[in-house]
């Protein structure tokens, strides 16, 4: 069955450092991969979308890579800030269906 | 732009009663609306997909008679939890895709916390 794995352990980093989150998937060939941010008790907020034929996408301090051979995406936040603390969800879209990972909790310490 | 609202933001109801949750796209027309359920520290679980004017498509294991979805217009979808039980307590989130934009980018509502006592 289709499976998305995100590191269930929280990631703790110091302000100013680069946070790197990983998303691995199996038994799936997504056309798109997306990253969302979710704060406690709130709905997810769309951050970035990358297509299967794209290797990398950037938006301000965010960078996403997509390796369809490794079946992996990396999500980077450079110059991290305490306000970046949240849960980050990886989502894969194939056909008209999107499945979500459980998310990785990021804590950025001042 | 691309704002989705949900109402109510939280609701407490007694076992056996029904609860209706509204999802509205405020500044765009939604091609498709999705309903998710999320348990603590777990991923979003898709319950159903609905297109305006047609019947919702439910995911395997989701009872369509228990979770009634109505998508009356391009800006409004409702989820009714009928005869709610404590195990239905969860965080329900809707999302929508913009008819005039990237159909794979989902805009999420703020969620509705349902507690059934």
């Amino acid at each position: 069955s289709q499976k998305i794995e995100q590191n269930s352990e929280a990631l703790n980093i110091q302000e100013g450092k680069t946070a790197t989150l990983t998303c691995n998937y199996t038994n799936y060939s997504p056309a798109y991969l997306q990253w969302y941010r979710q704060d406690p008790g709130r709905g997810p907020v769309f951050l970035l979308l990358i297509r299967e034929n794209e290797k990398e996408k950037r938006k301000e301090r965010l960078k996403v890579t997509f390796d369809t051979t490794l079946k992996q995406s990396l999500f980077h936040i450079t110059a991290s800030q305490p306000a970046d603390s949240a849960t980050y969800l990886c989502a894969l879209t194939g056909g008209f269906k999107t499945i979500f990972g459980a998310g990785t909790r990021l804590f950025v310490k001042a | 732009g691309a704002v989705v609202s949900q109402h109510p933001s939280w609701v407490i109801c007694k076992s056996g009663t029904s609860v209706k949750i509204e999802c509205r796209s405020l500044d765009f027309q939604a091609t498709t609306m999705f309903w998710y359920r999320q348990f603590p520290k777990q991923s979003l679980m898709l319950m159903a997909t609905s297109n305006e004017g047609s019947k919702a498509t439910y995911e395997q294991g989701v009872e369509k008679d228990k979770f009634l979805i109505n998508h009356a217009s391009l800006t409004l979808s409702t989820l009714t939890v009928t005869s709610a039980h404590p195990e239905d307590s969860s965080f329900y989130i809707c999302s929508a895709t913009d008819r005039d934009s990237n159909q794979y980018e989902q805009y999420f509502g703020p969620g509705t916390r349902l507690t059934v006592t």
Side-chain angles (χ1 to χ4, degrees), chain B residues 33-53:
Chain B
M33 285 187 166
F34 304 88
W35 286 96
Y36 294 86
R37 183 163 54 179
Q38 187 178 35
F39 293 104
K41 296 186 179 181
Q42 294 188 25
S43 65
L44 297 167
M45 297 303 297
L46 180 65
M47 298 175 67
T49 303
S50 73
N51 293 292
E52 182 261 342

Side-chain angles (χ1 to χ4, degrees), chain B residues 1-113:
Chain B
V3 178
V4 175
S5 70
Q6 270 184 254
H7 178 79
S9 55
W10 61 270
V11 57
I12 301 173
C13 71
K14 291 190 175 181
S15 189
T17 60
S18 294
V19 174
K20 179 186 281 189
I21 302 170
E22 288 188 353
C23 176
R24 293 181 186 272
S25 57
L26 298 184
D27 51 0
F28 66 99
Q29 293 188 320
T31 312
T32 305
M33 285 187 166
F34 304 88
W35 286 96
Y36 294 86
R37 183 163 54 179
Q38 187 178 35
F39 293 104
K41 296 186 179 181
Q42 294 188 25
S43 65
L44 297 167
M45 297 303 297
L46 180 65
M47 298 175 67
T49 303
S50 73
N51 293 292
E52 182 261 342
S54 60
K55 287 185 179 180
T57 302
Y58 289 81
E59 294 300 301
Q60 194 172 10
V62 178
E63 299 176 59
K64 62 180 180 181
D65 294 330
K66 180 169 183 61
F67 298 99
L68 301 177
I69 292 172
N70 183 281
H71 195 155
S73 73
L74 279 172
T75 60
L76 173 64
S77 176
T78 60
L79 167 69
T80 302
V81 183
T82 62
S83 187
H85 288 96
E87 57 265 30
D88 298 323
S89 298
S90 187
F91 192 51
Y92 292 86
I93 312 174
C94 72
S95 72
T97 53
D98 185 344
R99 187 179 67 172
D100 298 324
S101 183
N102 183 329
Q103 63 177 329
Y104 297 111
E105 183 177 324
Q106 294 187 38
Y107 302 101
F108 284 85
T112 297
R113 173 75 57 192

